[in-house]
Amino acid sequence: LSAAGFTVVRVQPVAPDSAEVLAMEATYRRKSDAGAGSSPRAVISLALTHVRLWQSFPTASDWLYIFEDDVLNKTADAVSCLLDRAERVASASNSTFLHLGLTAPVYFVPWNKGLYNGRRRPRPSPVNHTLSPCVGSCTFAYAIRRSAAATMWAQMRSRISERIMSTNAYKWLHSYVRYNIDSNIRAYFVRGGADRSTWPMCMDVDSFGIFEMDPSMNSTQTTPSGASKGEAGRPWKAESLPTSGGDGQEWAQDGGAECGGGRERSGE
């Protein structure tokens, strides 16, 4: 991350035995959990660590970049330049998240409806990177926008409680959204009735972003910023919402006017 231009600040997690973790576990505990053979406290700790960063927002910038501890940069291009452009595109809309790495994306199409203004431009050739409205699983590399961060968790939990947990709809989803941070983000945008103009932007969605998880680390959710390794049971699947045409944002990496002059970013 330092080589990619970030000032890295390592964050200690919310303690798995803290009062807030125990309270969340007690609120959503089920009798069937006794036979699961594992505790959800590490998952809750991870989720609340992300939420604590959202709410404290420890940067002066408009976007807070959050990385889990097993993240790897997989692009040879200048990350700072790419993120300068991505921030400009996302800030021109109401997007609340930037996914820099993800799995199992759900696409929102048409990509230009309510998100991009002006006439459609021809795609540059060659196109090296894309930025598309979508939401994915996993939270190992993303940014959240200042204007949405403070209230995002409360809004997610309220919508999920109202539209998913308190109904018979999406029963298979109930277990996922009790504790997992990535499941809450995904369910909020896909099933929770979030305004489509606020959908996250995903960088290079067809290749799952410009960052990836390092499989050699075998990270667990008990590490300071450990990655969520997925959930047992019904998997998320890649899907698209109904389409009526339109294009996402695409650009060629030219290292010129698109770059922002090496602005400093914080990576938590």
Side-chain angles (χ1 to χ4, degrees):
L1 291 176
S2 296
F6 288 94
T7 300
V8 179
V9 180
R10 192 166 179 83
V11 175
Q12 290 300 313
V14 174
D17 60 353
S18 66
E20 54 191 318
V21 169
L22 299 181
M24 189 169 178
E25 179 188 27
T27 299
Y28 298 102
R29 184 188 293 122
R30 297 173 177 172
K31 291 182 179 179
S32 58
D33 292 344
S38 62
S39 168
R41 293 178 188 176
V43 177
I44 300 171
S45 167
L46 176 65
L48 295 182
T49 302
H50 280 268
V51 173
R52 180 177 288 179
L53 285 169
W54 297 359
Q55 294 173 345
S56 63
F57 213 85
T59 179
S61 302
D62 196 40
W63 292 90
L64 172 65
Y65 289 84
I66 300 174
F67 300 92
E68 293 177 353
D69 62 358
D70 59 352
V71 71
L72 288 175
N73 175 18
K74 64 177 185 176
T75 179
D77 291 328
V79 172
S80 181
C81 177
L82 293 177
L83 297 184
D84 283 346
R85 181 66 186 269
E87 286 181 10
R88 286 200 296 272
V89 173
S91 295
S93 72
N94 292 323
S95 294
T96 48
F97 288 90
L98 281 172
H99 282 297
L100 310 182
L102 70 158
T103 62
V106 177
Y107 308 92
F108 169 48
V109 191
W111 289 348
N112 63 344
K113 184 177 181 181
L115 292 170
Y116 305 107
N117 298 318
R119 299 180 60 185
R120 287 171 56 183
R121 295 175 297 172
R123 300 181 180 185
S125 181
V127 169
N128 292 345
H129 298 282
T130 64
L131 196 65
S132 315
C134 86
V135 62
S137 294
C138 296
T139 51
F140 58 89
Y142 71 97
I144 186 170
R145 195 173 187 173
R146 176 183 295 277
S147 59
T151 59
M152 179 58 73
W153 180 244
Q155 189 169 334
M156 281 182 179
R157 298 300 283 181
S158 175
R159 289 288 186 91
I160 288 170
S161 175
E162 174 188 345
R163 294 175 179 250
I164 297 175
M165 296 294 287
S166 63
T167 72
N168 289 323
Y170 314 117
K171 274 192 171 182
W172 62 270
L173 189 55
H174 290 190
S175 292
Y176 295 109
V177 297
R178 286 188 297 167
Y179 307 127
N180 293 73
I181 186 71
D182 58 340
S183 297
N184 275 266
I185 295 172
R186 185 181 175 107
Y188 170 70
F189 286 105
V190 179
R191 314 285 186 189
D195 187 329
R196 293 286 170 81
S197 71
T198 68
W199 267 53
M201 295 286 192
C202 299
M203 183 168 286
D204 292 358
V205 64
D206 290 339
S207 56
F208 306 106
I210 60 172
F211 287 89
E212 62 185 349
M213 289 182 284
D214 182 355
S216 70
M217 289 187 64
N218 193 30
S219 294
T220 68
Q221 291 168 322
T222 57
T223 54
S225 297
S228 173
K229 289 297 186 182
E231 305 147 328
R234 179 170 177 171
W236 291 109
K237 65 178 181 177
E239 56 184 307
S240 296
L241 297 176
T243 177
S244 61
D247 285 321
Q249 289 286 323
E250 304 182 341
W251 67 86
Q253 174 70 21
D254 59 13
E258 299 299 350
C259 296
R263 278 190 294 117
E264 184 177 275
R265 288 186 174 81
S266 295
E268 306 292 332

